[in-house]
C-alpha cells in the first residue's frame, strides 16, 4: 500500500467510424434505415442552408446577432437521432441541426434570433428546452430533467449539451457530480469545437481530453469524432441504452470545429489562423456524410437537386412567416406570473396608456 | 388545534403537501436522516422515502438548477438552502432561469419551485448565517418573496407557496423558529401570497414590519402605548414581493405617519420601496417623514455584537416618537 | 485633448493605470487577443503582455475569486465580466468575500478589485445581455457601485475606481459605448466616487438619472423646456453606492419636484432609495409625489421590444408634467 | 483509432508511511529533525486539548457554536510543516492544528468562535487567510493567491484546504481548472473526513477517490493517509517542491475521519453508526504519532507531563485573555471602507447616539 497507483474503474475511450477521407470502419458501422439516412442528410443540409441564410439576413439588418453552427451539425443531429421522442433534449445555440430533426421549424429559429420570445417555444409534443444563453447553466436543469426521468421510472433519458468553454463553469461540474451520485439517465454531450469565442480549447482546461473529466464523477467518458455522424449515433445510442436501463450517466465529448465566426458580432481573424480553419474544412461533417450516402447509392444528382429545392422553399416560407410575425408590444408583462400581481396589472395599464399616447397628439403645454 | 413552534408548523405544512400530492419533493443538504439542520424536515424521509425527501451533495446551484429540471418533469420541488448566506451560490440559477422560464417560453415551461431558507439574525451563529437578503430577491421580477412571522402564518404561507404555480423564495426567520408556540388549526390553511395583515390596529403611527421584526414592532407598539400614549398600528407584510401597497397606504392615510422596520441593510432595502409606495400613494396624508429603522449598511457583526445591529423596540420607539413629534 | 467614444475612453483609463502601476492587471474572458467583445481592452495584451492582460477560461466566479487572491498578493485586478447578465455566476464571491474581507479581517486583507461589466439595454442583444442589476449590488454593503454616463466621466471614474482601496462594481452602459464622442483631456483625470453632478441646471423639477438614462433625461428636459415651458434640472448620479443624497436633496429643495429615471425594474430598485432619501431629507419641500420612470417589473423583453421597456423621453416628460401639474 | 482507450498522462497514487498499527515504511520515512518532531507533537496535542476545552466552553455558554477538528489534526499540520513562512495557507475551520503551527495563538481561535471579528486576524507576518465559512469558496482565492505567487515569480506557493463536501461545489472545480490552465503553484488539499454534516462521502460524489478528480484538470492526484503525519509531510513537500519549481498544481486527498460532531449544533447519532467511529478511533493521528515518537525515544513520561502542563497553561492563559477581550460595539461600522462614506458616517453617529440612549433615562412621554 505505501505508494501505489489508484485503479480507475471507469473507461475513457475514443470513437470514430466514418473517417474524413470517406473510409468506414465496417465493424462499427451502424445499420441505419436508408430512409433515415436520407432524412438525416436533408436535415443536416437544411441546417447548413439556414445558417447561410441567417447570416445574410443578419447582414441585411433583418435578424439580430446570429450564432452559426456550421461544421457542428453532425454532433447534435446524431444525438437527436439516437433519442426517442419522449426523451428530453437540452440544447445550447449550436444544436440547430438536432432540433430541426426533433421537429423545431426553421421559422421558430428565425423568431429566436429575430428577438422574439416566441422563438423559445417548441412545437407541441416536442420535449426540448429552448436555447440557454448563460453558458453551462443548462447543465443543471438538464441534470434535473434526468433526475425527473429517473424518479418517474418510465425509462426516459435526457441529453444535455454544452461547449468546451462551458466545461469550465461550476454548473457543469455540479450537474455531472449530481448525475453521478444519483446515477441519473443523463447523456452529457460537450461540443468541443475548439474555441470559446477567442479562447482555444488548450487554454480552457489543462485536461488532455474533455472526455476524461468523466473520471471526476465516477462515470465513463467517450471522445467521439463529432464530425462523424455515424460515430455520434453509435456513441449516443450506447449512452442512451445504458441510461435507460439504469446504468447512469455518460460524458460524450464530440470533437468538432467551429468553421464560422462565434456569432455575427465576432471577428475570428483577430485570434485564429486561417490555416487552422482550412485544415478543418475537409473534415466538414456535411461533405463526409454526403460522400458516404453517395457511395452507398442513396444520393444522386437529381436527388440532391430535389432536396436543395425543397430546402430552399422551406426556408423561404419560414422567412416570409417570420417577417409577417407581429407581437403585442405589451405582451412582455403578461407572462411574468400565472396570474398578474396587482402591481404588474397597474404597470401593464401604465404601459398600455403609454403605447396609446405614443400614437396620440402631444399633451398641451403647461399654462 | 395544536400549539406549535414555527419549525413544527413548517414541518407540518411540508408533510401535508407531500401527503396530498405525490409530486411534491423536498431536496437539500441534510434534509434526510439529519432532518434538516433546524429539523424542519423531521420525519419526512421516514414517511416519504429517499426519492421524495432527498439528501443532496453540497452544491446549492445544483439543488436549485436540478429543481428546475424536476419541475419540468411535473414535480413540485421544495428546495432547502441551508442558510440565506449560501443562497448566493445558487443566485445565477434563480436569476438566469427560475424566474424567467415562464416568460421566456410564454408559459410553456414553468418553475413552480419553492426555495426555502432560514433567514435573518439573532441566533448567535457564525458569519454568513444571519443575512437578510430579501431585497435582493424582491428586485428580481418573476419571483414571489414570502417571509412569515409566526407558526400559523408560516404553515399557511408555505402551503400557499407550494401550491403557487410560480417560484417562491420562502424566508424562514431563524429567530422565530423556536421563539414561541402558536395555535395551529388541524385542517390545512392557506393565506394569499402578497397580502399583509394588520397585526395590531392603531391610529397614531403605522409600524411596518415582517419576519422576526414583527415582534420588535409589536413590542415597540406596546411601549409606545404604555409609556408614550401613542397608539401604533402594526402591519405584518408577510410578502415583500408582491408588496401589499394597498394595505400600507390605507393604514398610512389613516395615521399620517409611518416607520418601516427591517433587519436588512438600509441602502436599497425593502424599506426604501415601502417609502416610495407611500409617497406615490399617500404623500398628501403624510404628517412627517417616513422613518426607516433597519440594519446598518454594514456586514452584520459577528454574534457578540449582532443585537447592536438588529433593530430593537427602543430604536423603533424612538423613530415613532420622532414622527409623532415632527 | 481627443474626441473619444466611451469605449476608447475606458481603454485609455486602463492603459494609463497599467502604465503607471505595474500591479494593475486586467483579466477576463476574451480580453487578450480579441481585445474584449466590446474592444475596451484594445491594445492591452500587446502593450502589457499576457501576464498583465489575461485571457481566462470561462468561469466568472473564478475571475472574481481569483482576483481576490491576486489582490492579496499586492495586485490591483480589474476583472472584466463579459455581460451584466453573467455577473450572477460570480455573485457569491462578491457577496461572501469581495465586500467583506476588509471588515472580516479588520483591515488586514482588502479587496481593491474593480469588477467592470457592460451594463443595460439598448443594443439589440440576446437575452441576459441587457440587464441593469445596479440595485442588487448597491444593496451589498462594502461595495461601491459606479455608472458613468459619458466618455469623459467614464475615464475619470474608472481611474478613480482602480485607485480606490475598496472594491468597485463598474457598470458600463452599453448603449453609450459608441453612442457619441466627447472631449477627453490628455492628462489623467479622476472624479470622486459617490458624488453626482448637475448635468443641466433648472428650477421647476429635478430629473434624477444615471448611465444611459442621463441622455433620456436630458432629452426630456429639452422637450420640457421647448414644448412645455418647464425648466428641469437634471442630475447625473454617477454612483449609486455611495449615493449622493446631498446633491439630490439640495436640488429637490429648490425645485420641490422630482422624477427618478432608471432602466432597472422598479420594485426595490435604486429609484426607491432615492425617493426614501428625498422623503427623509426634504419632505416639507415636496410639492408633488416623486415619480419613478423605470423599467417594468418584468424581464427586459427580447430586443424587438426592448425600446418599449426602456424609459424614453416621452415617459419622463409625462411624469415630469404630472409632478408639475400635481 | 476506431475505438481506443484514451491515455491519461497524469498520475493518481496512494501514499501511506506510518500505519495505524505503528509500522513505518522506512523507505519512505522522511528524515525529520527530532526537535521538529517534538514540536509537531506538541502542536497536535495543543490542538486536541484546545478542541476539548472549546467544547466545554461552548456547553457552558462561554463560546458560540464550535466546530471540532478532532481526528483531523495531522492533515493540516503536515501541510503547514511542509510550507515555508512566506508561502500562503488558506484554511477552512478544520485546520486549527496547521494554523497553530503557523503561529496563530489559541486566543485568536477563541475570539473567532466567540463571535468576534478579531478572530480572523492572523498575527503579524503570518501569511494565512482566516477561516472561510462558505464551503469551497476559498478555493477561488486560494487559486488567486497561487496565481499571484506565480506572477510575482519569487517561488512562493499556496496550500488551500477544503472538505470532501466542498468538492461538490462549483468553486472547487473552477479553481482547480484555472490552476491547471495557468500552471499555478497551488497545493489543493481535500480533507476527506468521510462526512459533510450528515452526508457520507459515498453520497457526495460517485468518483471512487477524491484524488482522481485531478485528472479532470490535467494534474496529478495523490490519495494520502491523512491521519499519518509523515505521509502528509512527504506528500506536501513533493507537491510544494513541484509547485515551487514551475511544475504546477497538485491535488492531495487527505483520507481522515471526523471523530467528533460536525459542530456543537450537530448530533451525529442521527446519521452515523457508533461502530464506524469506533473503527476509526484506533487510527487517530495523535495516538499514532505519539507511539512513533515513543518508539523513536523522543517522548517519555516526564516529557509528556511537561508538555501537558505547558499546554494546559497556554490554553488557560488564552481563555483568560479571551474572556477579558472587549470590543467597541460601534466598531462594526468602522471597517466597511478605507474611508467611511458620508451615509455610513451618519449611520455611525445614529448608532453611537442609540448606544448612549441605551444607558440614559427614557425620553419623556408625548404630552
Ligand atoms: C455564463 C456566461 N458567461 C459568458 C458568456 C458569453 N459567451 C457566450 S458564448 C461564449 C463562449 C462559449 O464557448 P463554448 O462553451 O465553447 O461554446 P461555443 O460558443 O464554442 O459553442 C461566451 C464566453 C455567456 N453566454 N454566459
Ligand atoms: C456554500 C455552503 N453551503 C452550506 C454550508 C453549510 N455547511 C457548513 S459545513 C458543511 C459540510 C461541509 O462538509 P465538508 O466540506 O466535507 O467539510 P467538513 O465539515 O467535513 O470539514 C455544510 C453543508 C456552508 N457553510 N457553505
Ligand atoms: Mg466551444
Ligand atoms: Mg467532510
Amino acid at each position: 500500500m505505501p505508494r501505489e497507483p489508484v485503479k480507475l474503474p471507469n473507461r475513457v475511450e475514443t470513437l470514430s467510424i466514418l473517417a474524413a477521407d470517406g473510409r468506414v470502419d465496417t465493424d462499427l458501422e451502424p445499420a441505419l434505415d436508408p430512409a433515415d439516412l436520407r432524412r438525416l442528410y436533408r436535415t443536416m443540409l437544411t441546417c447548413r442552408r439556414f445558417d447561410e441564410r441567417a447570416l445574410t439576413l443578419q447582414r441585411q439588418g433583418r435578424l439580430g446577432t446570429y450564432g452559426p453552427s456550421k461544421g457542428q451539425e453532425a454532433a447534435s443531429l446524431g444525438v437527436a437521432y439516437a433519442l426517442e421522442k419522449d426523451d428530453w433534449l437540452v440544447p445550447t445555440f449550436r444544436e440547430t441541426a438536432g432540433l430541426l430533426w426533433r421537429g423545431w421549424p426553421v421559422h421558430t429559429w428565425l423568431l429566436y434570433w429575430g428577438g422574439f420570445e416566441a422563438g423559445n417555444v417548441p412545437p407541441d409534443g416536442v420535449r426540448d428546452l429552448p436555447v440557454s444563453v448563460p453558458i453551462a447553466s443548462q447543465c443543471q436543469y438538464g441534470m434535473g430533467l434526468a433526475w425527473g426521468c429517473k424518479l418517474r421510472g418510465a425509462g426516459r433519458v435526457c441529453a444535455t449539451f454544452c461547449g468546451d468553454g462551458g466545461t469550465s463553469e461550476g454548473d457543469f461540474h455540479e450537474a455531472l457530480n449530481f448525475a453521478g451520485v444519483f446515477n441519473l439517465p443523463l447523456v452529457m454531450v460537450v461540443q468541443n469545437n475548439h474555441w470559446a469565442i477567442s479562447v482555444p480549447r488548450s487554454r480552457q482546461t489543462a485536461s488532455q481530453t474533455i472526455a476524461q473529466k468523466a473520471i471526476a464523477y465516477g462515470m465513463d467518458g467517450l471522445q467521439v469524432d463529432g464530425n462523424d455522424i455515424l460515430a455520434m449515433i453509435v456513441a449516443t445510442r450506447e449512452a442512451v441504452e445504458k441510461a435507460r436501463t439504469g446504468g447512469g450517466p455518460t460524458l460524450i465529448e464530440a470533437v468538432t470545429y467551429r468553421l464560422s465566426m462565434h456569432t455575427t458580432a465576432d471577428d475570428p481573424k483577430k485570434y485564429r489562423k486561417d490555416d487552422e480553419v482550412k485544415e478543418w474544412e475537409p473534415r466538414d461533417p456535411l461533405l463526409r456524410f454526403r460522400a458516404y450516402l453517395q457511395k452507398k447509392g442513396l444520393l444522386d444528382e437529381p436527388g440532391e437537386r430535389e432536396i436543395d429545392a425543397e430546402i430552399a422553399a422551406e426556408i423561404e416560407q419560414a422567412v416570409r412567416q417570420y417577417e409577417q410575425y407581429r407581437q403585442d408590444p405589451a405582451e412582455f408583462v403578461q407572462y411574468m406570473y400565472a396570474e398578474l400581481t396587482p402591481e404588474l396589472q397597474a404597470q401593464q395599464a401604465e404601459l398600455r396608456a403609454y403605447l396609446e399616447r405614443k400614437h396620440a397628439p402631444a399633451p398641451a403645454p403647461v399654462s | 388545534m395544536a400549539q406549535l413552534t414555527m419549525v413544527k408548523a413548517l414541518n407540518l405544512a411540508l408533510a401535508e403537501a407531500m401527503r396530498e400530492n405525490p409530486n411534491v419533493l423536498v431536496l437539500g443538504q441534510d434534509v434526510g436522516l439529519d432532518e434538516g439542520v433546524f429539523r424542519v424536515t423531521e420525519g419526512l424521509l421516514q414517511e416519504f422515502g429517499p426519492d421524495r425527501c432527498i439528501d443532496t451533495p453540497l452544491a446549492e446551484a445544483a439543488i436549485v438548477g436540478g429543481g428546475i429540471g424536476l419541475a419540468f418533469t411535473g414535480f413540485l420541488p421544495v428546495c432547502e438552502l441551508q442558510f440565506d448566506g449560501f443562497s448566493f451560490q445558487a443566485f445565477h440559477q434563480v436569476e438566469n432561469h427560475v424566474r424567467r422560464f415562464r416568460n421566456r417560453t410564454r408559459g410553456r415551461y414553468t418553475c413552480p419551485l419553492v426555495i426555502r431558507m432560514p433567514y435573518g439574525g439573532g441566533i448567535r451563529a457564525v458569519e454568513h448565517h444571519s443575512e437578510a437578503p430579501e431585497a435582493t430577491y424582491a428586485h428580481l421580477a418573476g419571483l414571489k418573496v414570502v417571509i412569515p412571522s409566526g407558526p400559523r402564518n408560516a404553515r399557511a404561507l408555505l402551503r400557499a407557496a407550494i401550491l403557487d404555480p410560480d417560484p417562491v423564495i420562502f424566508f424562514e426567520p431563524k429567530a422565530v423558529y423556536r421563539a414561541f408556540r402558536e395555535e395551529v388549526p388541524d385542517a390545512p390553511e392557506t393565506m394569499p401570497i402578497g397580502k399583509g395583515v394588520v397585526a395590531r390596529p392603531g391610529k397614531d403611527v403605522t409600524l411596518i414590519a415582517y419576519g422576526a421584526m414583527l415582534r420588535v414592532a409589536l413590542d415597540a407598539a406596546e411601549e409606545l402605548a404604555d409609556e408614550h400614549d401613542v397608539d401604533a398600528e402594526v402591519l405584518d407584510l408577510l410578502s415583500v414581493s408582491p408588496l401589499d401597497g394597498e394595505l400600507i397606504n390605507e393604514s398610512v392615510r389613516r395615521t399620517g405617519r409611518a416607520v418601516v422596520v427591517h433587519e436588512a441593510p438600509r441602502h436599497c432595502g425593502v424599506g426604501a420601496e415601502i417609502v416610495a409606495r407611500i409617497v406615490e400613494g399617500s404623500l398628501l396624508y403624510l404628517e412627517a417623514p417616513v422613518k426607516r429603522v433597519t440594519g446598518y449598511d454594514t456586514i452584520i457583526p459577528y454574534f457578540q455584537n449582532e443585537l447592536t445591529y438588529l433593530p430593537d423596540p427602543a430604536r423603533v420607539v424612538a423613530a415613532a416618537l420622532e414622527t409623532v413629534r415632527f
Side-chain angles (χ1 to χ4, degrees), chain A residues 88 117 120-123 126 128-129 134 137 140-141 144-145 147-148 152 171 174 178 182 327 331 335-338 341, chain B residues 23 55 59 61-62 65-66 69-70 72-75 92-93 96-97 102-106 108-109 142-143 165-166 242:
Chain A
W88 293 86
E117 284 85 351
N120 286 314
V121 187
V126 171
D128 304 326
L129 273 289
S137 62
Q140 302 273 28
Y141 55 78
L145 280 162
W147 205 350
R152 292 279 173 221
D171 279 335
E174 296 184 8
F178 268 52
F182 294 109
Q327 192 187 31
E331 184 188 272
Y335 292 99
M336 291 306 300
Y337 298 95
T341 62
Chain B
N23 289 320
D55 267 330
L70 286 165
F72 294 160
T73 59
F75 289 104
H92 60 289
Q93 286 289 333
N96 293 173
H97 295 308
R102 176 186 293 281
N103 177 67
R104 178 184 293 149
T105 62
R106 310 277 100 157
R108 175 66 175 274
Y109 291 107
L143 302 177
D166 286 301

Side-chain angles (χ1 to χ4, degrees), chain B residues 26-42:
Chain B
V26 164
L27 61 155
Q29 296 156 18
D30 307 293
V31 297
L33 267 185
D34 200 32
E35 306 186 304
V37 291
F38 287 101
R39 306 290 176 257
V40 174
T41 56
E42 196 174 306

Side-chain angles (χ1 to χ4, degrees), chain A residues 102-119:
Chain A
R102 299 272 291 176
W104 289 65
V106 170
H107 166 236
T108 304
W109 287 113
L110 288 167
L111 288 178
Y112 178 75
W113 294 108
F116 293 106
E117 284 85 351

